[in-house]
Amino acid sequence: MTATIDRSTTTPPRPKRRATASREGTGPVRHSRRTKALVLGGVVFFTLYSLAPVWWLIVSATKNQSDLYTTNGLWFSDLHFTDNLKALFTYQDGIFLKWLWNTLYYGVVGTAGMTLVCVACGYGLAMYQFRGRGVLMGCIIGSFLVPHALLTIPSFLLFTDLRMVDTPSAIIVPSLFNAFSVYLAKVYAEGAIPPELIEAARIDGAGEYRIFFTVGARLMSTGAATIFLLGFVGSWNSFFGPLVFLRTPEKWTVMVGLYSWLKVKVDTSADLTGMVVVGSLLSLIPMVILMISMQRFWRSGVTLGSLK
C-alpha cells in the first residue's frame, strides 16, 4: 500500500516537468525571433518614413529652379546650394533673417515665461493644500478638450480691444499659459519633490519663494526642460496664430513668411519654391541645436531617478 502511494505521488509529475521545460525552452525562442523581426522592421520603416522628407529637403536645396522639377527628387543634380543661399538672404533686402530673428525672439521669450509660470503653478498645486484645489485641477484638465481654433475669434476680438493685434505681444502673451504644461509640472513635482524636504526648509527658516527657487525649481529641472522644449517646438512651428494676429511682413515668423513666398507662385508668374526649400532646411538648424543642447538635462534626470 505504501509502495503504491509512493509511486502515485512521486513518479507522475516527472513527465509534466519535462514537458513544461520543453515548452518553456522552445516557445520563447520562436516568439523572440518573431518579435525581433517585427521590431526591426518597424524601426526600419519608421526611420525611412522620418528621414525621407529630410533627405528630399537636403537634396532639393542643392538644385536650381529647373532641376527642382525635372530631376530625381531623391538624388543630387548640379550643385547650386551657394547660389540658393545668396538668393535667400538677399531677396527683399534679406527679410528671411528678420523672420528668423522674430521666430527666435517669440519662441525664447514666450517659452521661457511659460516654463516659469507652469512650473510655479504645478509646484503650487502639488505642494500646497487649499480649498478648491480639485475643482481647479478639473478645470485645467477640462481645458484640454477645447480646440485652440475655437478660441481664435474671441482672442482676436480681445486683442483688438487691447490694441495688441500686429504686435509681438499678440504672439508672446498667449504662449505664456499652457494647461497641459501645468498638469505635467504638477505630476512631475509630486514625484520629484519630497514633502519632508519642504518641511525641513521651513523649519530652517526659509521663505516660500526661497524654497521654490532653491529647492523646488532645482529638483524640477528635468521636467522644466521638457516643458521648455515642447513649448519651443510648438512656438517655432506655430502658423495659425502668427497668420491671424500679425499683419506687417517685418513681424512675421519663418512659417508665415515662407507661406507668403509659396503664395506668390499662385498669385503671379514668379516661382520662389527654390528659396522656400532652402529656407525650410535652414529653419531646422535651431531645432537640432536645441535638441542636442538639452540632452544633458534628461540624462541628469534619468541618473537622479536611478539613484532614488
Side-chain angles (χ1 to χ4, degrees), residues 232-278:
F232 187 82
V233 171
S235 176
W236 189 270
N237 295 325
S238 178
F239 175 77
F240 195 62
L243 180 66
V244 173
F245 298 122
L246 298 179
R247 306 291 178 81
T248 307
E250 285 75 13
K251 298 177 182 177
W252 285 350
T253 60
V254 171
M255 301 302 167
V256 179
L258 295 180
Y259 170 75
S260 69
W261 282 358
L262 277 180
K263 194 177 178 181
V264 169
K265 181 181 177 181
V266 179
D267 297 337
T268 64
S269 58
D271 190 359
L272 304 178
T273 306
M275 288 194 296
V276 173
V277 171
V278 180

Side-chain angles (χ1 to χ4, degrees), residues 69-286:
Y69 296 109
T70 57
T71 59
N72 186 0
L74 296 178
W75 197 244
F76 297 95
S77 180
D78 296 335
L79 296 180
H80 296 277
F81 185 68
T82 305
D83 299 333
N84 294 335
L85 285 179
K86 291 180 180 178
L88 177 67
F89 289 123
T90 57
Y91 188 74
Q92 292 182 345
D93 298 328
I95 196 172
F96 180 75
L97 288 175
K98 184 65 176 177
W99 293 340
L100 274 179
W101 168 252
N102 292 337
T103 310
L104 188 65
Y105 175 70
Y106 301 153
V108 171
V109 175
T111 308
M114 184 270 290
T115 303
L116 179 61
V117 171
C118 293
V119 168
C121 291
Y123 172 84
L125 290 171
M127 295 293 112
Y128 297 105
Q129 300 292 333
F130 53 89
R131 182 178 298 177
R133 178 168 171 261
V135 177
L136 184 60
M137 278 304 303
C139 294
I140 292 173
I141 296 175
S143 64
F144 299 165
L145 305 177
V146 181
H148 290 285
L150 294 180
L151 303 177
T152 302
I153 295 178
S155 299
F156 183 80
L157 296 177
L158 178 63
F159 291 166
T160 301
D161 292 338
L162 296 176
R163 297 181 180 180
M164 291 173 56
V165 175
D166 200 24
T167 63
S169 300
I171 307 300
I172 295 175
V173 172
S175 63
L176 295 178
F177 309 98
N178 189 301
F180 178 75
S181 297
V182 172
Y183 177 75
L184 181 63
K186 186 253 183 187
V187 173
Y188 190 87
E190 289 176 343
I193 305 176
E196 297 80 6
L197 191 61
I198 303 298
E199 292 298 327
R202 288 171 182 162
I203 293 174
D204 291 340
E208 297 299 328
Y209 289 106
R210 183 179 178 184
I211 293 174
F212 169 68
F213 285 107
T214 58
V215 179
R218 291 187 178 182
L219 292 177
M220 295 176 65
S221 59
T222 303
T226 304
I227 292 173
F228 180 85
L229 180 62
L230 294 178
F232 187 82
V233 171
S235 176
W236 189 270
N237 295 325
S238 178
F239 175 77
F240 195 62
L243 180 66
V244 173
F245 298 122
L246 298 179
R247 306 291 178 81
T248 307
E250 285 75 13
K251 298 177 182 177
W252 285 350
T253 60
V254 171
M255 301 302 167
V256 179
L258 295 180
Y259 170 75
S260 69
W261 282 358
L262 277 180
K263 194 177 178 181
V264 169
K265 181 181 177 181
V266 179
D267 297 337
T268 64
S269 58
D271 190 359
L272 304 178
T273 306
M275 288 194 296
V276 173
V277 171
V278 180
S280 300
L281 179 64
L282 295 183
S283 67
L284 297 178
I285 296 176

